Amino acid sequence: MSIDRPLKVALFGSGRIGQVHARNIAEHRDLELAWIADPFIEGARTLAAGTGAVAVESADEVFANGDLDAVVIGSPTSTHVDLISRAMAQGVAALCEKPIDLDIERALACRDAIKGNNTPLMLGFNRRFDPHFAAIQSRVAAGEIGRLEQLTIISRDPAPAPAAYIATSGGIFRDQSIHDLDMARFFVPDIIEVSATGANVFCDYIEEAGDFDSVVITLKGRDGELVTITNSRHSAFGHDQRLEAFGSEGMLSAGNVTPTTVRKYGAAGTEESDAYLPFFLERYAEAYRNELDSFAKAIRSGTACSPGFDDGLQALALANAAEESARSGRAVRIENSVKIGQP
């Protein structure tokens, strides 16, 4: 894209994730946060006041601007398909938070509607841009530990989300696990089988909503790789985010992140460290910045974004398969599930 000015960006959503994106867009050297759209206009106005953007209530007001270059979609999941479709129809690049939709049929219909459109479109699986996880993935791909045999992903939130959020989240597999399912595909793109089990061990309102508060997922790759994902809606010691790649010639691992590397040694204990970073906003702050930078570079270069729309579809299909497995007690073969393929 041959534009000799910062790219003009509109942000949909002024909630928690919208605030992260707003700050990062405003601080980016090649982007200008021009509009923030949210029907809850007071939230948009408050956020706009600190960034220099214009607050608007509707998508119509955003897409009426002829000099709009890109949108970042951090609004509720139910809006994603419509906003993606409108952006692609106008040739406006889009970065959309996961999932594409809770209903995979709507996501597939969206894929069909934008088929052949080369406008940059990125799905917000920001953990691919985490420097710790990305370093392991690149070293595994380079063959540093030989043939990848086992991948272990642990992701536990510090505390359950509020009951109102849980009720509309789509369930733990589509809301929380979907990040880890995409991370699994970052290492093992071709998953052929999903097994999952869920439990309710600590949160009454999650159980009342018909959801699980703890799950374990096992994936099998086409070449025999095994992936284990452990998720929980709580962790007494902070945001627990770990990854281990085990191969024929060695292992690579990434542990939890602390504010400093200082360790205390004394009579009461040794190797005492700072508490882990409290939540995803802090733990993945750099990943969100790196994600946005990759998006901006893709717009400038006209290259395809990664992760893209198909990655969002694949992760959603795996989440659906995990839900089916947990409810039925049977493994789910992906070949016999929703056929996705390429747009």
Side-chain angles (χ1 to χ4, degrees):
M1 182 178 289
S2 57
I3 299 175
D4 59 356
R5 57 166 173 77
L7 300 171
K8 288 194 173 184
V9 181
L11 170 66
F12 291 101
S14 59
R16 183 172 61 184
I17 196 62
Q19 293 167 30
V20 173
H21 287 303
R23 181 175 62 252
N24 290 339
I25 296 167
E27 293 176 353
H28 196 281
R29 63 191 177 282
D30 197 29
L31 303 176
E32 175 190 346
L33 181 57
W35 303 276
I36 299 175
D38 196 319
F40 298 99
I41 191 64
E42 289 308 316
R45 286 172 178 158
T46 299
L47 189 56
T51 60
V54 175
V56 297
E57 292 186 65
S58 72
D60 291 343
E61 294 174 87
V62 169
F63 288 112
N65 291 280
D67 56 353
L68 176 66
D69 300 308
V71 296
V72 174
I73 303 170
S75 48
T77 299
S78 59
T79 68
H80 291 182
V81 163
D82 178 62
L83 293 174
I84 288 172
S85 299
R86 294 187 68 173
M88 295 299 101
Q90 291 192 204
V92 173
L95 166 58
C96 182
E97 282 297 327
K98 62 77 189 170
I100 298 168
D101 196 85
L102 296 179
D103 182 350
I104 199 164
E105 294 301 329
R106 287 196 74 218
L108 287 166
C110 181
R111 181 206 52 187
D112 292 341
I114 65 175
K115 184 177 180 179
N117 193 317
N118 294 319
T119 304
L121 172 57
M122 177 179 281
L123 260 291
F125 290 118
N126 67 88
R127 296 181 191 184
R128 292 193 184 208
F129 298 94
D130 174 71
H132 311 282
F133 297 161
I136 293 181
Q137 193 274 341
S138 64
R139 291 167 71 173
V140 168
E144 188 171 326
I145 60 170
R147 180 178 181 271
L148 180 64
E149 297 175 359
Q150 297 175 342
L151 182 70
T152 301
I153 303 170
I154 297 172
S155 179
R156 300 184 177 106
D157 284 348
Y165 176 89
I166 294 295
T168 60
S169 69
I172 190 171
F173 293 111
R174 296 175 191 85
D175 176 49
Q176 181 179 0
S177 305
I178 197 167
H179 273 294
D180 304 301
L181 292 165
D182 178 72
M183 181 56 60
R185 290 195 63 253
F186 192 32
F187 285 82
V188 184
D190 197 358
I191 303 295
I192 64 169
E193 186 176 280
V194 179
S195 299
T197 187
N200 296 95
V201 293
F202 62 86
C203 185
D204 291 342
Y205 64 76
I206 290 179
E207 184 173 12
E208 290 167 3
D211 195 12
F212 302 112
D213 56 39
S214 306
V215 299
V216 176
I217 307 167
T218 302
L219 311 174
K220 186 176 182 179
R222 188 166 298 280
D223 294 328
E225 311 96 321
L226 294 176
V227 182
T228 303
I229 297 171
T230 301
N231 291 137
S232 175
R233 289 287 196 183
H234 79 163
S235 170
F237 50 88
H239 199 210
D240 189 14
Q241 303 287 291
R242 290 174 279 154
L243 185 147
E244 175 186 288
F246 175 83
S248 58
E249 297 177 20
M251 184 178 76
L252 293 164
S253 67
N256 283 307
V257 178
T258 56
T260 74
T261 60
V262 174
R263 296 294 184 269
K264 177 186 175 182
Y265 300 79
T270 60
E271 293 278 359
E272 295 179 12
S273 70
D274 296 335
Y276 298 141
L277 294 176
F279 202 28
F280 77 94
L281 297 175
E282 297 86 4
R283 170 63 181 82
Y284 292 111
E286 187 172 2
Y288 279 110
R289 291 192 294 268
N290 292 343
E291 174 188 63
L292 185 66
D293 194 50
S294 178
F295 178 56
K297 289 176 180 177
I299 298 171
R300 288 291 190 192
S301 65
T303 56
C305 294
S306 181
F309 193 86
D310 191 61
D311 294 302
L313 283 171
Q314 296 285 358
L316 183 56
L318 291 177
N320 286 349
E323 177 87 24
E324 180 183 343
S325 176
R327 301 295 180 186
S328 69
R330 298 188 300 271
V332 176
R333 295 285 294 184
I334 297 302
E335 289 93 341
N336 297 326
S337 187
V338 176
K339 300 294 183 182
I340 291 179
Q342 295 296 326

